[in-house]
Amino acid sequence: MDLKLPIAIIDELSDSIIKSTGLLDMASGEIGNVRYEDHDLEADGFPAHDEDYEFTSGLLTNGKKDVEFSITVDVMAARYSVTPTELLEIKSRAAKLFSAAPESAVADKPAAKAKPAGRRPAR
């Protein structure tokens, strides 16, 4: 099965963050089709090459619910991926996330009506 989910990617630097989006391959853990927001890759370089680079994380979203996870960065190849252990954890958490009904679809149950007090027949 070829399942690729859209994710948000956050590269954390000492004084700033660089946001991008990509597609996480749920079979291999590879992240492709990375598109940076407000960051010119050719002019500014790969975020992990910056001396202020600290770490990278990812975010998988469904409605108002998120699954946050760690992303491994191959600095030499300038590529992102997820370890097999992290991918297994993402799959488990994502299954719960996507199988849950959206919060707006869950209606509040009306309060149960109190039963009227029974009348005793007159004797």
Side-chain angles (χ1 to χ4, degrees):
M1 180 196 298
D2 186 26
L3 179 60
K4 295 180 181 173
L5 298 177
I7 61 168
I9 302 167
I10 299 101
D11 288 295
E12 301 258 353
L13 284 68
S14 297
D15 296 325
S16 63
I17 61 171
I18 298 172
K19 294 181 181 182
S20 58
T21 59
L23 293 175
L24 172 61
D25 186 325
M26 294 300 281
S28 69
E30 294 179 13
I31 299 171
N33 199 30
V34 177
R35 301 193 187 278
Y36 292 92
E37 300 173 12
D38 302 323
H39 181 80
D40 185 346
L41 194 58
E42 289 186 23
D44 301 326
F46 186 62
H49 290 157
D50 192 301
E51 63 184 36
D52 292 335
Y53 172 78
E54 294 182 355
F55 65 92
T56 302
S57 61
L59 197 63
L60 177 63
T61 304
N62 182 24
K64 294 181 181 179
K65 297 181 181 180
D66 299 325
V67 173
E68 188 172 2
F69 54 93
S70 177
I71 292 179
T72 301
V73 178
D74 181 343
V75 177
M76 298 303 286
R79 295 187 57 113
Y80 299 106
S81 64
V82 175
T83 65
T85 303
E86 189 75 13
L87 186 60
L88 185 60
E89 179 68 21
I90 293 168
K91 287 178 182 180
S92 171
R93 292 169 52 201
K96 292 176 187 174
L97 177 71
F98 288 112
S99 65
E103 291 178 8
S104 60
V106 178
D108 292 332
K109 290 184 178 180
K113 293 182 179 179
K115 291 184 179 181
R119 296 176 79 186
R120 299 183 104 191
R123 292 188 183 184

PDB file of all heavy atoms in Angstrom, residues 73-94:
ATOM      1  N   VAL A  73      17.272  13.835  10.691  1.00  0.00           N
ATOM      2  CA  VAL A  73      17.795  14.623   9.583  1.00  0.00           C
ATOM      3  C   VAL A  73      19.129  14.035   9.133  1.00  0.00           C
ATOM      4  O   VAL A  73      20.037  13.854   9.940  1.00  0.00           O
ATOM      5  CB  VAL A  73      17.986  16.099   9.998  1.00  0.00           C
ATOM      6  CG1 VAL A  73      18.566  16.910   8.856  1.00  0.00           C
ATOM      7  CG2 VAL A  73      16.669  16.692  10.466  1.00  0.00           C
ATOM      8  N   ASP A  74      19.223  13.719   7.842  1.00  0.00           N
ATOM      9  CA  ASP A  74      20.488  13.301   7.239  1.00  0.00           C
ATOM     10  C   ASP A  74      21.119  14.578   6.699  1.00  0.00           C
ATOM     11  O   ASP A  74      20.746  15.066   5.632  1.00  0.00           O
ATOM     12  CB  ASP A  74      20.228  12.290   6.120  1.00  0.00           C
ATOM     13  CG  ASP A  74      21.499  11.795   5.459  1.00  0.00           C
ATOM     14  OD1 ASP A  74      22.560  12.450   5.618  1.00  0.00           O
ATOM     15  OD2 ASP A  74      21.435  10.758   4.772  1.00  0.00           O
ATOM     16  N   VAL A  75      22.059  15.128   7.459  1.00  0.00           N
ATOM     17  CA  VAL A  75      22.660  16.414   7.119  1.00  0.00           C
ATOM     18  C   VAL A  75      23.437  16.324   5.809  1.00  0.00           C
ATOM     19  O   VAL A  75      23.371  17.227   4.979  1.00  0.00           O
ATOM     20  CB  VAL A  75      23.578  16.910   8.260  1.00  0.00           C
ATOM     21  CG1 VAL A  75      24.260  18.213   7.899  1.00  0.00           C
ATOM     22  CG2 VAL A  75      22.778  17.067   9.546  1.00  0.00           C
ATOM     23  N   MET A  76      24.146  15.230   5.591  1.00  0.00           N
ATOM     24  CA  MET A  76      24.966  15.087   4.380  1.00  0.00           C
ATOM     25  C   MET A  76      24.094  15.031   3.119  1.00  0.00           C
ATOM     26  O   MET A  76      24.422  15.636   2.112  1.00  0.00           O
ATOM     27  CB  MET A  76      25.846  13.840   4.467  1.00  0.00           C
ATOM     28  CG  MET A  76      26.845  13.889   5.617  1.00  0.00           C
ATOM     29  SD  MET A  76      27.927  15.323   5.576  1.00  0.00           S
ATOM     30  CE  MET A  76      29.005  14.867   4.250  1.00  0.00           C
ATOM     31  N   ALA A  77      22.980  14.306   3.168  1.00  0.00           N
ATOM     32  CA  ALA A  77      22.098  14.174   2.003  1.00  0.00           C
ATOM     33  C   ALA A  77      21.009  15.240   1.975  1.00  0.00           C
ATOM     34  O   ALA A  77      20.260  15.324   1.004  1.00  0.00           O
ATOM     35  CB  ALA A  77      21.458  12.788   2.000  1.00  0.00           C
ATOM     36  N   ALA A  78      20.907  16.031   3.036  1.00  0.00           N
ATOM     37  CA  ALA A  78      19.877  17.072   3.166  1.00  0.00           C
ATOM     38  C   ALA A  78      18.478  16.471   2.987  1.00  0.00           C
ATOM     39  O   ALA A  78      17.680  16.924   2.182  1.00  0.00           O
ATOM     40  CB  ALA A  78      20.120  18.213   2.189  1.00  0.00           C
ATOM     41  N   ARG A  79      18.208  15.416   3.777  1.00  0.00           N
ATOM     42  CA  ARG A  79      16.923  14.719   3.695  1.00  0.00           C
ATOM     43  C   ARG A  79      16.354  14.483   5.087  1.00  0.00           C
ATOM     44  O   ARG A  79      17.085  14.373   6.061  1.00  0.00           O
ATOM     45  CB  ARG A  79      17.094  13.376   2.990  1.00  0.00           C
ATOM     46  CG  ARG A  79      17.514  13.501   1.548  1.00  0.00           C
ATOM     47  CD  ARG A  79      17.506  12.163   0.888  1.00  0.00           C
ATOM     48  NE  ARG A  79      16.175  11.562   1.011  1.00  0.00           N
ATOM     49  CZ  ARG A  79      15.371  11.339  -0.016  1.00  0.00           C
ATOM     50  NH1 ARG A  79      15.744  11.663  -1.222  1.00  0.00           N
ATOM     51  NH2 ARG A  79      14.208  10.782   0.177  1.00  0.00           N
ATOM     52  N   TYR A  80      15.026  14.363   5.132  1.00  0.00           N
ATOM     53  CA  TYR A  80      14.309  14.073   6.366  1.00  0.00           C
ATOM     54  C   TYR A  80      13.754  12.649   6.309  1.00  0.00           C
ATOM     55  O   TYR A  80      13.398  12.161   5.236  1.00  0.00           O
ATOM     56  CB  TYR A  80      13.127  15.023   6.539  1.00  0.00           C
ATOM     57  CG  TYR A  80      13.469  16.484   6.629  1.00  0.00           C
ATOM     58  CD1 TYR A  80      13.216  17.342   5.563  1.00  0.00           C
ATOM     59  CD2 TYR A  80      14.010  17.018   7.792  1.00  0.00           C
ATOM     60  CE1 TYR A  80      13.501  18.694   5.645  1.00  0.00           C
ATOM     61  CE2 TYR A  80      14.300  18.376   7.882  1.00  0.00           C
ATOM     62  CZ  TYR A  80      14.045  19.204   6.813  1.00  0.00           C
ATOM     63  OH  TYR A  80      14.327  20.539   6.896  1.00  0.00           O
ATOM     64  N   SER A  81      13.637  12.027   7.483  1.00  0.00           N
ATOM     65  CA  SER A  81      12.995  10.711   7.574  1.00  0.00           C
ATOM     66  C   SER A  81      12.564  10.483   9.017  1.00  0.00           C
ATOM     67  O   SER A  81      12.837  11.284   9.905  1.00  0.00           O
ATOM     68  CB  SER A  81      13.948   9.600   7.119  1.00  0.00           C
ATOM     69  OG  SER A  81      15.068   9.527   7.983  1.00  0.00           O
ATOM     70  N   VAL A  82      11.900   9.353   9.210  1.00  0.00           N
ATOM     71  CA  VAL A  82      11.448   8.952  10.542  1.00  0.00           C
ATOM     72  C   VAL A  82      12.012   7.555  10.793  1.00  0.00           C
ATOM     73  O   VAL A  82      11.987   6.704   9.896  1.00  0.00           O
ATOM     74  CB  VAL A  82       9.904   8.945  10.600  1.00  0.00           C
ATOM     75  CG1 VAL A  82       9.403   8.421  11.922  1.00  0.00           C
ATOM     76  CG2 VAL A  82       9.358  10.341  10.357  1.00  0.00           C
ATOM     77  N   THR A  83      12.516   7.301  12.004  1.00  0.00           N
ATOM     78  CA  THR A  83      13.073   5.990  12.321  1.00  0.00           C
ATOM     79  C   THR A  83      11.956   4.946  12.338  1.00  0.00           C
ATOM     80  O   THR A  83      10.779   5.288  12.541  1.00  0.00           O
ATOM     81  CB  THR A  83      13.760   5.986  13.696  1.00  0.00           C
ATOM     82  OG1 THR A  83      12.764   6.222  14.708  1.00  0.00           O
ATOM     83  CG2 THR A  83      14.869   7.023  13.778  1.00  0.00           C
ATOM     84  N   PRO A  84      12.287   3.659  12.142  1.00  0.00           N
ATOM     85  CA  PRO A  84      11.255   2.612  12.183  1.00  0.00           C
ATOM     86  C   PRO A  84      10.473   2.594  13.501  1.00  0.00           C
ATOM     87  O   PRO A  84       9.260   2.407  13.500  1.00  0.00           O
ATOM     88  CB  PRO A  84      12.057   1.323  11.997  1.00  0.00           C
ATOM     89  CG  PRO A  84      13.261   1.743  11.217  1.00  0.00           C
ATOM     90  CD  PRO A  84      13.587   3.129  11.729  1.00  0.00           C
ATOM     91  N   THR A  85      11.155   2.816  14.610  1.00  0.00           N
ATOM     92  CA  THR A  85      10.472   2.835  15.913  1.00  0.00           C
ATOM     93  C   THR A  85       9.496   4.007  16.000  1.00  0.00           C
ATOM     94  O   THR A  85       8.362   3.850  16.443  1.00  0.00           O
ATOM     95  CB  THR A  85      11.503   2.933  17.057  1.00  0.00           C
ATOM     96  OG1 THR A  85      12.406   1.832  16.949  1.00  0.00           O
ATOM     97  CG2 THR A  85      10.833   2.912  18.419  1.00  0.00           C
ATOM     98  N   GLU A  86       9.941   5.172  15.549  1.00  0.00           N
ATOM     99  CA  GLU A  86       9.078   6.359  15.575  1.00  0.00           C
ATOM    100  C   GLU A  86       7.906   6.175  14.607  1.00  0.00           C
ATOM    101  O   GLU A  86       6.778   6.561  14.909  1.00  0.00           O
ATOM    102  CB  GLU A  86       9.882   7.611  15.201  1.00  0.00           C
ATOM    103  CG  GLU A  86       9.144   8.907  15.400  1.00  0.00           C
ATOM    104  CD  GLU A  86       9.009   9.332  16.849  1.00  0.00           C
ATOM    105  OE1 GLU A  86       9.690   8.770  17.724  1.00  0.00           O
ATOM    106  OE2 GLU A  86       8.193  10.228  17.122  1.00  0.00           O
ATOM    107  N   LEU A  87       8.156   5.557  13.451  1.00  0.00           N
ATOM    108  CA  LEU A  87       7.102   5.322  12.468  1.00  0.00           C
ATOM    109  C   LEU A  87       6.025   4.410  13.039  1.00  0.00           C
ATOM    110  O   LEU A  87       4.831   4.645  12.849  1.00  0.00           O
ATOM    111  CB  LEU A  87       7.695   4.718  11.190  1.00  0.00           C
ATOM    112  CG  LEU A  87       6.742   4.555  10.015  1.00  0.00           C
ATOM    113  CD1 LEU A  87       6.162   5.903   9.592  1.00  0.00           C
ATOM    114  CD2 LEU A  87       7.464   3.898   8.846  1.00  0.00           C
ATOM    115  N   LEU A  88       6.416   3.376  13.772  1.00  0.00           N
ATOM    116  CA  LEU A  88       5.452   2.476  14.411  1.00  0.00           C
ATOM    117  C   LEU A  88       4.594   3.233  15.423  1.00  0.00           C
ATOM    118  O   LEU A  88       3.375   3.058  15.479  1.00  0.00           O
ATOM    119  CB  LEU A  88       6.189   1.309  15.090  1.00  0.00           C
ATOM    120  CG  LEU A  88       5.331   0.221  15.690  1.00  0.00           C
ATOM    121  CD1 LEU A  88       4.457  -0.439  14.633  1.00  0.00           C
ATOM    122  CD2 LEU A  88       6.208  -0.823  16.362  1.00  0.00           C
ATOM    123  N   GLU A  89       5.225   4.103  16.192  1.00  0.00           N
ATOM    124  CA  GLU A  89       4.492   4.925  17.167  1.00  0.00           C
ATOM    125  C   GLU A  89       3.522   5.880  16.461  1.00  0.00           C
ATOM    126  O   GLU A  89       2.386   6.055  16.889  1.00  0.00           O
ATOM    127  CB  GLU A  89       5.488   5.715  18.024  1.00  0.00           C
ATOM    128  CG  GLU A  89       4.848   6.611  19.053  1.00  0.00           C
ATOM    129  CD  GLU A  89       4.149   5.880  20.179  1.00  0.00           C
ATOM    130  OE1 GLU A  89       4.444   4.701  20.422  1.00  0.00           O
ATOM    131  OE2 GLU A  89       3.276   6.505  20.822  1.00  0.00           O
ATOM    132  N   ILE A  90       3.966   6.482  15.366  1.00  0.00           N
ATOM    133  CA  ILE A  90       3.102   7.394  14.600  1.00  0.00           C
ATOM    134  C   ILE A  90       1.894   6.633  14.066  1.00  0.00           C
ATOM    135  O   ILE A  90       0.763   7.120  14.136  1.00  0.00           O
ATOM    136  CB  ILE A  90       3.875   8.041  13.431  1.00  0.00           C
ATOM    137  CG1 ILE A  90       4.947   8.979  13.965  1.00  0.00           C
ATOM    138  CG2 ILE A  90       2.931   8.802  12.506  1.00  0.00           C
ATOM    139  CD1 ILE A  90       5.939   9.431  12.903  1.00  0.00           C
ATOM    140  N   LYS A  91       2.128   5.435  13.531  1.00  0.00           N
ATOM    141  CA  LYS A  91       1.026   4.631  12.981  1.00  0.00           C
ATOM    142  C   LYS A  91      -0.011   4.327  14.057  1.00  0.00           C
ATOM    143  O   LYS A  91      -1.211   4.432  13.818  1.00  0.00           O
ATOM    144  CB  LYS A  91       1.555   3.332  12.389  1.00  0.00           C
ATOM    145  CG  LYS A  91       2.281   3.517  11.093  1.00  0.00           C
ATOM    146  CD  LYS A  91       2.824   2.189  10.586  1.00  0.00           C
ATOM    147  CE  LYS A  91       3.605   2.337   9.305  1.00  0.00           C
ATOM    148  NZ  LYS A  91       4.135   1.057   8.823  1.00  0.00           N
ATOM    149  N   SER A  92       0.459   3.969  15.238  1.00  0.00           N
ATOM    150  CA  SER A  92      -0.451   3.653  16.340  1.00  0.00           C
ATOM    151  C   SER A  92      -1.256   4.887  16.750  1.00  0.00           C
ATOM    152  O   SER A  92      -2.479   4.831  16.891  1.00  0.00           O
ATOM    153  CB  SER A  92       0.353   3.124  17.524  1.00  0.00           C
ATOM    154  OG  SER A  92      -0.455   2.997  18.656  1.00  0.00           O
ATOM    155  N   ARG A  93      -0.565   6.001  16.927  1.00  0.00           N
ATOM    156  CA  ARG A  93      -1.245   7.223  17.352  1.00  0.00           C
ATOM    157  C   ARG A  93      -2.131   7.790  16.249  1.00  0.00           C
ATOM    158  O   ARG A  93      -3.217   8.309  16.512  1.00  0.00           O
ATOM    159  CB  ARG A  93      -0.214   8.250  17.822  1.00  0.00           C
ATOM    160  CG  ARG A  93       0.461   7.788  19.114  1.00  0.00           C
ATOM    161  CD  ARG A  93       1.665   8.582  19.516  1.00  0.00           C
ATOM    162  NE  ARG A  93       1.446  10.006  19.574  1.00  0.00           N
ATOM    163  CZ  ARG A  93       2.417  10.905  19.506  1.00  0.00           C
ATOM    164  NH1 ARG A  93       3.664  10.530  19.362  1.00  0.00           N
ATOM    165  NH2 ARG A  93       2.141  12.178  19.580  1.00  0.00           N
ATOM    166  N   ALA A  94      -1.690   7.673  14.984  1.00  0.00           N
ATOM    167  CA  ALA A  94      -2.483   8.182  13.864  1.00  0.00           C
ATOM    168  C   ALA A  94      -3.752   7.359  13.681  1.00  0.00           C
ATOM    169  O   ALA A  94      -4.799   7.898  13.337  1.00  0.00           O
ATOM    170  CB  ALA A  94      -1.656   8.180  12.588  1.00  0.00           C
TER     171      ALA A  94
END
